[in-house]
Amino acid sequence: MGTRTFRGATILQFSLQTLTSQLGLLVGPKGFGHYWKTHYADKTFEHLYRWNAFDTAMLIPYFIVMIILAFYGIHRYQLVWLYFKNKKNAAKWSEPPMRFAEGQLPFVTVQLPIFNEQFVIERLIEAVCSLDYPRDRFEVQVLDDSTDETTGVAREIVERYARGFVGMAPQPIVYLHRSNRHGYKAGALDKGLDVARGEFVAIFDADFVPPRQWVMQVIHHFAQPEIGMVQTRWTHLNRNYSFLTQVEAILLDGHFVLEHGGRSRAGVFFNFNGTAGMWRRETISTAGGWQHDTLTEDTDLSYRAQLVGWQFKYLQDVECPAELPIEMTAFKTQQARWAKGLIQTGKKILPRVLKSDAPWHTKLEAWYHLTANISYPLMIVLSVLLMPAMIIRSWQGYIQMLLIDFPLFIASTMSVSTFYMVSQKELYPKSWYKSIIYVPFVMALGGVGLTITNTKAVMEALLGVKSAFARTPKYSVKKKGEKSQAKVYRKRLGVIPWIEMAIGCYFAWTVYYAISTENFFTVPFLVLFVFGYWYTGLLSLLQGRFERSRDPDQEMHEKPYPVGI
């Protein structure tokens, strides 16, 4: 006991000495007081700065970009406000306004679009065949466009479940394979509708595991004849698999809590997420059917359906678990596809929305939703201008920086952390604070690290460059340390990770410059850029290297379509 007391006193004494020394640095001749006097209180060179043409050429585009980003940042605050303001409008699965009569449940078709999903297809079919719904009003379609071993695996599993086995009665499940990928996922869904018997259609991607009660939680909300689609919330099977999946989970939680929650409660347009939702078949046909001229066929159909008068519901309290991408290249592929698809949909749909009779706030929200990814090219411009703008602004004085730069920074950047922390508090009211440690990394990855790949995707969409639907690889992993089959679907990388590393080095130099010139207030912001670019670049280059070093004889399987960016 005495030894512990002695050690405790020693530690306390050391802590007090450390604190005293730090305070001394702040008030000492070279501490914080000195920094403040020399940078902000010294009036010796006041009014000596003169505006010139070079400064104008740098600062005008810099402020234009910052103001646009600030508007999108303020919109995040607005979504939080809409979410809480309209909380009474939240739909709940247990409280549908109307219900189907007992014994008169409608026929439901469950569509499972798959493409090269050999590691997860059995898990999906098992979950879907276990759904609690009368089998005389239920069918499952496995819509397979695969070009690899998945075709044989999926066909065998479907035949087994159709025959039935011990513990599983014969299931109404069919296997439909296309020899071409015309229209990609949209084409497969449309082809399945040709032979579907259901009045309602539920859709699940291969990496989802719908819980047994999912259909019964959703179906009664369609007793209202005006409801055309019901979306449920994604949750995460492998959230704790790695640091990357933790960050991905927070990013998706923000979308499914505050974006979907805020929009649906406010009664403005929101979108089907491509999976874990159910459609009224009549809604699909009256809206023009599945179309494949964008990479986000789900958002495209959603807006067309709402424009012709159908109403959508979002059930935040109905969860549908799914697998998060475990590799950076897979995550970037997914995000780039969504970024490109939303811009394509915006080009196609926004003119119709703006000309429609929808309320102005619905049109404004649609504009923010479908154009949000424009922020990625703007981040490239900001990256180029940040260093010269920082130097120029430091010479102009701290008053201008505090009155102009700081509010823009708060609006465009700090809104990200607020947005995602609110979503965590809503989902995990007792443990949300544990997610605070991930906030800088959410900002670095979601706001900075994806800039290069998503800018490429956005520019392709704006210029009309078409590309194949590159699906996100899934490997059926849940636990930390569990070995994946990633090598089978891993694609060799191009030059983009090296570009990300180079830009990270540039920002590392800006951090050094800021410190050397005692411009400390900009350092935390610049460090986010360094970490964001280096993290995405390094993970893209290094993931899988250690697996291959353990298994050098394993041959790489080249896919006939791009996976890595």
Side-chain angles (χ1 to χ4, degrees), residues 117-131:
E117 319 275 9
Q118 58 179 303
F119 302 119
V120 294
I121 183 60
E122 183 167 12
R123 181 181 68 184
L124 171 66
I125 292 176
E126 178 184 4
V128 170
C129 288
S130 300
L131 289 170

Side-chain angles (χ1 to χ4, degrees), residues 382-400:
L382 181 64
S383 297
V384 173
L385 297 176
L386 195 58
M387 184 65 179
M390 180 180 70
I391 297 172
I392 295 169
R393 299 294 288 151
S394 65
W395 278 101
Q396 290 179 336
Y398 76 98
I399 293 296
Q400 295 92 325

Side-chain angles (χ1 to χ4, degrees), residues 212-227:
R212 179 178 174 82
Q213 69 277 15
W214 190 91
V215 176
M216 292 300 294
Q217 290 177 326
V218 170
I219 192 63
H220 288 289
H221 289 271
F222 286 100
Q224 292 178 269
E226 67 272 17
I227 299 300

Side-chain angles (χ1 to χ4, degrees), residues 107 129 134-141 161-162 169-174 197:
F107 199 104
C129 288
R135 286 308 184 257
D136 61 337
R137 279 160 279 179
F138 179 81
E139 70 173 350
V140 180
Q141 294 180 333
Y161 276 83
Q171 298 295 310
I173 184 170
V174 295
R197 294 184 290 158

